[in-house]
């Protein structure tokens, strides 16, 4: 790579490539794969676990005093009180992977005092490496990437993800999907949210929205988008999407138009809404929100919390320019 990279980003890249090698080897013989169910339509394989282990081993070898928040092992490894937290999804798109559908990736983010500073998303099938450091831009392999310049939602290609877990509000999703689909040029749903966010950063998509995502799905991609000149928030355009488990992203113009459509569908996620998706930690089972909040030294929102009405970066836009 031509530009000099931050040492912590170099470690993230090393870890992501090691995990990608494990995933690529396993993809050659999917018949031998051992698959377990975390819940209906929610799978974990020995590949997820092996990839996560090599990522955490690589990180802790370099930074033994850092904290870890990982999809499969929660916070069971690493320091518990560090200001540095590595947020790891070893295989985003597991369902695609076990079917041999080649859209999946490794996602690694490093947060310092709650702010994502370094991000890597590695697509082992295509050997595509997306990476970003806060304040230094976003890259795909050696090429600087930027969000698209399309200004009208009617011309936009929009990515999404379908709800698939028990308890997801399918009817609510279908209504918003129908409204977005009729307002844009096309909707795509490949099935790996971390890659979807990188596709927004690279300008492949003009926008993206999804509900029910976990912090490790979003953390790396969120930095990729902001460093590529895009915006990311919850459905009302505010920045607490990690807790609300709803996310919308895009270039500034498309983001604004998506927020206008999606704002009526926002909801505050209560802790007990995701009780079935507990993350194992040393203190027992907690929800993803609680685990992330504890890891980042923040408080998860109270069950009856209302959406914050602080400054909104992008409010309702006037009609799109012709």
């Amino acid at each position: 790579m031509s530009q000099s990279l931050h040492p912590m980003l170099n470690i993230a890249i090393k870890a992501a490539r090691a995990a990608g090698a494990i995933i690529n080897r396993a993809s050659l013989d999917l018949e031998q794969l051992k698959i377990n169910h975390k819940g209906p339509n929610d799978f974990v394989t020995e590949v997820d676990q092996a990839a996560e282990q090599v990522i955490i081993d690589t990180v802790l070898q370099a930074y033994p005093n850092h904290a870890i928040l990982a999809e499969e092992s929660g916070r069971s490894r690493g320091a518990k009180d560090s200001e540095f937290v590595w947020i790891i999804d070893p295989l985003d798109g597991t369902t695609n992977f076990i079917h041999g559908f080649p859209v999946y990736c490794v996602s690694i983010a490093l947060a310092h005092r709650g702010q994502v500073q370094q991000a890597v998303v590695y697509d082992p099938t295509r050997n595509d490496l997306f990476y970003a450091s806060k304040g230094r831009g976003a890259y795909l392999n050696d090429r600087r990437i930027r969000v698209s310049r399309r200004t009208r939602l009617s011309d936009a290609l929009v990515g999404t993800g379908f709800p698939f877990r028990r308890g997801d509000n399918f009817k609510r999703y279908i209504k918003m999907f129908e409204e977005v689909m009729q307002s844009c040029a096309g909707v795509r749903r490949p099935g790996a949210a971390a890659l979807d966010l990188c596709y927004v950063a690279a300008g492949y998509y003009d926008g993206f929205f999804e509900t029910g995502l976990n912090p490790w799905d979003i953390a790396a991609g969120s930095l990729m988008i902001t460093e590529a000149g895009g915006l990311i928030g919850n459905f009302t355009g505010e920045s607490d999407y990690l807790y609300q488990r709803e996310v919308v992203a895009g270039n500034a113009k498309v983001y604004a138009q998506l927020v206008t459509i999606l704002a009526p569908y926002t909801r505050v996620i209560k802790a007990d809404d995701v009780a079935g998706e507990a993350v194992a930690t040393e203190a027992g089972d907690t929800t993803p929100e609680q685990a992330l909040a504890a890891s980042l030294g923040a408080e998860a929102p109270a069950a009856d919390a209302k959406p914050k009405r602080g400054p909104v970066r992008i409010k309702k836009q006037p009609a799109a320019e012709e």
Side-chain angles (χ1 to χ4, degrees):
M1 290 170 191
S2 52
Q3 72 276 24
S4 62
L5 302 181
H6 191 285
M8 291 180 184
L9 182 61
N10 271 323
I11 292 298
I13 290 170
K14 179 182 176 183
R17 287 197 183 279
I22 290 171
I23 293 165
N24 275 340
R25 280 198 300 273
S27 73
L28 300 175
D29 195 3
L30 291 172
E31 297 298 316
Q32 299 301 312
L33 203 61
K34 292 190 179 73
I35 303 168
N36 296 311
H37 290 252
K38 291 193 277 188
N41 303 326
D42 202 358
F43 306 100
V44 60
T45 71
E46 56 194 338
V47 179
D48 295 72
Q49 292 161 339
E52 183 169 294
Q53 183 171 330
V54 77
I55 292 168
I56 297 174
D57 286 349
T58 303
V59 166
L60 293 182
Q61 184 177 4
Y63 301 107
N65 297 321
H66 284 192
I68 301 288
L69 174 63
E71 179 173 13
E72 308 307 336
S73 61
R75 298 175 61 225
S76 61
R77 296 185 62 188
K80 302 300 180 271
D81 55 358
S82 175
E83 293 181 341
F84 291 93
V85 183
W86 294 80
I87 307 170
I88 298 162
D89 190 340
L91 178 52
D92 185 31
T94 300
T95 302
N96 286 348
F97 174 75
I98 63 181
H99 287 85
F101 186 71
V103 181
Y104 42 81
C105 65
V106 180
S107 177
I108 304 172
L110 173 64
H112 180 244
R113 295 183 177 177
Q115 299 294 316
V116 178
Q117 302 284 333
Q118 311 293 337
V120 173
V121 174
Y122 179 53
D123 175 350
T125 302
R126 293 165 190 77
N127 194 26
D128 274 346
L129 185 76
F130 296 87
Y131 55 96
S133 290
K134 192 169 181 63
R136 299 185 68 180
Y139 292 82
L140 166 55
N141 301 322
D142 268 336
R143 180 173 61 85
R144 181 85 181 256
I145 54 176
R146 299 289 297 178
V147 294
S148 76
R149 294 179 179 177
R150 288 187 184 86
T151 58
R152 296 188 297 189
L153 185 57
S154 59
D155 296 331
L157 184 64
V158 176
T160 189
F162 301 148
F164 62 91
R165 297 181 184 91
R166 182 181 294 158
D168 285 339
N169 190 329
F170 290 93
K171 289 182 179 175
R172 168 176 164 260
Y173 181 82
I174 291 299
K175 285 179 184 174
M176 69 176 88
F177 178 74
E178 180 180 19
E179 201 169 336
V180 171
M181 185 171 63
Q182 293 182 71
S183 303
C184 70
V187 178
R188 300 291 181 266
R189 196 279 186 200
L195 264 183
D196 286 328
L197 293 172
C198 290
Y199 290 174
V200 172
Y204 304 161
Y205 292 149
D206 305 292
F208 174 80
F209 73 100
E210 189 166 352
T211 61
L213 292 174
N214 288 305
W216 41 83
D217 300 313
I218 307 170
S222 68
L223 182 64
M224 227 73 71
I225 286 172
T226 56
E227 287 297 317
L231 295 172
I232 182 166
N234 63 28
F235 285 180
T236 52
E238 294 150 306
S239 60
D240 57 345
Y241 53 89
L242 278 173
Y243 295 124
Q244 283 210 39
R245 290 164 58 77
E246 60 184 36
V247 66
V248 57
N251 70 44
K253 296 283 190 182
V254 170
Y255 174 87
Q257 292 164 79
L258 284 173
V259 164
T260 301
I261 291 174
L262 297 171
Y265 298 99
T266 192
R267 68 175 183 142
V268 175
I269 305 296
K270 296 181 181 179
D272 56 5
D273 285 346
V274 288
E277 300 170 54
V279 180
T281 72
E282 75 288 348
D285 286 346
T286 64
T287 65
E289 285 77 9
Q290 291 165 334
L292 181 76
S295 297
L296 300 184
E299 289 185 18
D304 59 352
K306 291 184 170 56
K308 294 189 194 80
R309 290 294 161 193
V312 179
R313 278 178 296 182
I314 293 289
K315 278 290 195 183
K316 205 161 184 173
Q317 290 287 104
E321 305 100 70
E322 290 302 323

